[in-house]
Structures are given as C-alpha cells and as structure tokens.
Amino acid sequence: MLKIEGLSKSFDGFMAVSNVSLDVKKGEIVAVIGPNGAGKSTLFNLISGVLKPDSGRIIFKGENIAGLPSHAICKKGLSRSFQIVNVFERMTVFENVQISIMAREKMNWNFFTPSSRVLIEETMQILASVGLTEKKDSVCGLLSHGDRKVLEIAVALGGNPEFLILDEPTAGMAPEETGRCIDLIKGLCDRFGLTILFCEHDMELVFAIASRIMVMTRGATLIQGSCDEVRGNQAVQDVYLGGSEVC
Ligand SMILES: Nc1ncnc2c1ncn2[C@@H]1O[C@H](COP(=O)(O)OP(=O)(O)OP(=O)(O)O)[C@@H](O)[C@H]1O
Ligand SMILES: [Mg+2]
C-alpha cells in the first residue's frame, strides 16, 4: 500500500532522514522506533506532505505522492496525528471531529452554520469508535492529556483514511491510559481495516500491536524485522537502548 524508496531530507546540511526505504502492506501495523532525534517525525512529515523530500519516492496506492501538499495526500486516504497534540482548544470534542469531516467534504465552517445540524451521524460514529461519545460536549482545553491524544486520532479519522500515521500516540499519557490506546489502535485495524504506521517510545505498546518494526538511528534505517528479530538484535540494543535488553 505504501512503498518508500530512498527517501532523504536534510536541514542546512544535516541529514535528518537519509536514504530510507520501507514497505507497508494493506492491513499491517508497522512501528518505527529509534532514539530521540532519529528522524521518525521527519519521516512522517515527509510521508504526510508536511515537508518536501530532497530525494526519493513515496508510492501510495501506486502513485508517487512525494512533495504533494498535506491536504492532497489526505484526500487520497492517508491521514496522520501529531507528536504534540494539535486540536482546536476552544472548541468541543464534537466540533473538532466535525470540522475535520467538513474539511474533507470541502464544506465551509462559519459561526452562522448551526454546527449541531451537519454531519452529526458520522461525527458521532467516529467519537464512538474511539470511546469519546460521553465527552462530546467537553471543551478540548479542559480534557485530560490522554483524551486529547485520542481526540487527535478521531480528528485524523475525519479524513476517512485507509492509512493512518500516528506520531507517538501515547506521548505523555499516564500508564493506565496506554492500555486504552493499545486497544484503540488494534480495534481501528481490526474493525475498520485501517493500515497503520506509527512511532512510539513505549515498547509495551510497540510489541503489543506492531506486526513489523523499523529501527531508525541518525536518520537512517538500522534494521527492519519482526518484533522477535528486533528484540534479539544486538545492534538495536547497543544503539537504541544503550546496551540494555529490549522489553
Ligand atoms: N524543521 C527542522 N529544522 C531543523 N532541524 C530539524 C527540523 N526538524 C527536525 N530537525 C532535526 O532533525 C533530527 C530528527 O528530528 P525528528 O524530530 O525527526 O526526530 P524524532 O525521531 O522524531 O525524535 P523524537 O523521538 O524526539 O520525537 C533532529 O536532530 C532534529 O533536531
Ligand atoms: Mg518525533
């Protein structure tokens, strides 16, 4: 479904992503791991059109999307969430999801459109799928951090994606909230047939849901393989975990 070939991006001569290649098949959950500054978010920014690559190809469903703007990529079925929560603080949970659907449908939002009347069914379906139905009228600025991270996934779902990219879905979450996130991501894959590429520092989450893992360090791919292959790899233990055991 997604084939990345020789993708590179530098910032003022510093190679943040260096000749990265990766295949993701339909229905897979693939994790990208690596230490801080390894290039994970930059890779996701390149795939989702936030940044333009210097070189390389990003083939999504047979078409090279490298360099296209985010909205065009989203329209093709690829949505993403951000490492740092990115929602409208003063709007409600319902409105945040509704606006993302309106953006997809090219509908204008304005203060005179009674928001309670448009796209209610789809908005409520998405909120139900992530477990936020009861919080629908809460103002985002007052949500717990865990709920805000989940809302961001819901906002990404508003684009009706086939392929979802999640940048550290559990960043800053309390340990008890992590389990909820694991169930949520697995459910999205199982129930909606979504293909998911995510990066994460929480190894419990990575090993619980990833079918394959790519390890990055200093912008480049160290190895790609199954959870067991990554867990047992000495180079991963040396570079990523400073020699300690994975998990
Ligand atoms: N817009 C930018 N301008 C300059 N340098 C950048 C920019 N974005 C990222 N970098 C640099 O590129 C490198 C990779 O950053 P990136 O955010 O992709 O890492 P990461 O793997 O996501 O790290 P973390 O786990 O901390 O989120 C870092 O050294 C970072 O400082
Ligand atoms: Mg990052």
Side-chain angles (χ1 to χ4, degrees), residues 45-60:
N45 286 337
L46 292 171
I47 300 170
S48 59
V50 176
L51 290 172
K52 285 190 179 188
D54 297 335
S55 57
R57 283 160 33 107
I58 305 166
I59 313 295
F60 180 59

Side-chain angles (χ1 to χ4, degrees), residues 8-218:
S8 296
K9 176 75 182 176
S10 63
F11 298 109
D12 296 325
F14 172 78
M15 290 295 275
V17 169
S18 176
N19 197 26
V20 167
S21 297
L22 173 70
D23 274 351
V24 183
K25 295 185 183 64
K26 191 171 167 50
E28 271 194 311
I29 303 182
V30 175
V32 180
I33 64 170
N36 293 116
K40 306 179 295 294
S41 293
T42 305
L43 174 67
F44 289 0
N45 286 337
L46 292 171
I47 300 170
S48 59
V50 176
L51 290 172
K52 285 190 179 188
D54 297 335
S55 57
R57 283 160 33 107
I58 305 166
I59 313 295
F60 180 59
K61 294 191 295 182
E63 187 186 345
N64 188 7
I65 59 165
L68 290 182
S70 294
H71 62 86
I73 293 174
C74 188
K75 213 173 152 200
K76 292 182 188 298
L78 190 152
S79 293
R80 58 96 44 100
S81 76
F82 289 85
Q83 186 168 349
I84 297 163
V85 177
N86 196 16
V87 292
F88 296 111
E89 296 285 324
R90 294 189 182 187
M91 290 185 170
T92 65
V93 166
F94 182 93
E95 287 166 341
N96 264 279
V97 175
Q98 185 188 40
I99 280 177
S100 77
I101 304 171
M102 290 172 84
R104 184 193 79 209
E105 296 293 321
K106 293 207 177 81
M107 292 166 71
N108 288 324
W109 191 91
N110 64 62
F111 287 99
F112 307 105
T113 306
S115 60
S116 53
R117 288 200 207 143
V118 291
L119 303 167
I120 298 169
E121 201 177 322
E122 186 176 353
T123 305
M124 290 307 292
Q125 270 171 8
I126 291 175
L127 290 176
S129 71
V130 300
L132 281 178
T133 306
E134 284 172 16
K135 305 260 170 70
K136 75 180 177 64
D137 295 322
S138 301
V139 174
C140 292
L142 300 176
L143 291 176
S144 72
H145 179 73
D147 281 338
R148 287 154 61 97
K149 292 290 285 182
V150 170
L151 174 60
E152 231 216 351
I153 295 177
V155 168
L157 292 175
N160 195 24
E162 295 168 65
F163 195 109
L164 193 58
I165 291 182
L166 304 173
D167 193 343
E168 296 197 30
T170 68
M173 272 191 186
E176 58 272 18
E177 291 177 317
T178 306
R180 168 188 175 198
C181 207
I182 291 175
D183 293 342
L184 169 59
I185 297 171
K186 268 186 174 167
L188 292 175
C189 193
D190 294 345
R191 279 185 285 139
F192 301 107
L194 282 179
T195 307
I196 294 174
L197 178 66
F198 75 105
C199 74
E200 186 54 64
H201 287 288
D202 183 332
M203 287 302 139
E204 186 191 342
L205 181 111
V206 169
F207 290 126
I209 65 176
S211 38
R212 247 165 359 96
I213 300 174
M214 175 168 89
V215 186
M216 285 183 77
T217 177
R218 299 181 185 186

